[in-house]
Amino acid sequence: MGKKLIIPIIILVLIAVFLGGTYNRLVEGDERVKSAWAQVENQLKRRADLIPNLVEVVKGYAEHEKEVLTGITEARTKFNSANTPQEYAEANAEFNRAITNLYAVVENYPELKANQNFTELQYELAGTENRIATERMRYNEEVEKFNRTIRRFPTNIIANIFGFEQWQYFEIDQEETEVPEVNF
């Protein structure tokens, strides 16, 4: 009787090890995606915090350009209320349009282009845009790995049992792929 139980026990242990290992891989992948997303949020927040400083410098030179400044304020508000990658992508697109409009206003004020505060903020913003692009790429890579993992057999069965779902990519609008032309 004892020998008959050994084989089923071994099979059950192997199944438990397989399930546990697969579950742990899914948790690890899920956490990598969350961590990557947190980095995207950090950089988007950094940009959102830089924009008001840039606006304040421009305000001194362009009092009558309220429309552009209002657009930036609205874009920042939309960013602050975003919760999902899709909402952040939409807020990001609105920010990009607002910044492009801001730079168009700056073209009309040569003395503003020479302002040291404006120049420093512009460099900070450019660096932040690069960080956002890098973190967005890292996030999307982690999403791709995780989504691929939970779609593969037999991991997909375990992912469904434990409620793991695909993550959403942080995609940009087609408009954003066109680089605005700004000359200083």
Side-chain angles (χ1 to χ4, degrees), residues 66-132:
K66 288 189 179 203
E67 194 176 295
V68 171
L69 303 177
T70 300
I72 289 173
T73 303
E74 289 171 359
R76 189 165 193 264
T77 301
K78 188 171 185 177
F79 167 80
N80 286 333
S81 65
N83 292 312
T84 67
Q86 180 61 36
E87 289 172 356
Y88 276 104
E90 290 169 9
N92 186 57
E94 200 165 309
F95 250 135
N96 287 343
R97 284 189 291 276
I99 290 169
T100 300
N101 291 338
L102 178 67
Y103 285 151
V105 167
V106 170
E107 281 296 307
N108 296 324
Y109 299 92
E111 64 277 5
L112 176 58
K113 293 183 213 174
N115 180 293
Q116 183 177 358
N117 287 338
F118 179 78
T119 303
E120 287 173 12
L121 286 168
Q122 192 179 10
Y123 286 128
E124 284 287 321
L125 188 58
T128 300
E129 294 295 336
N130 288 335
R131 288 184 193 107
I132 290 170

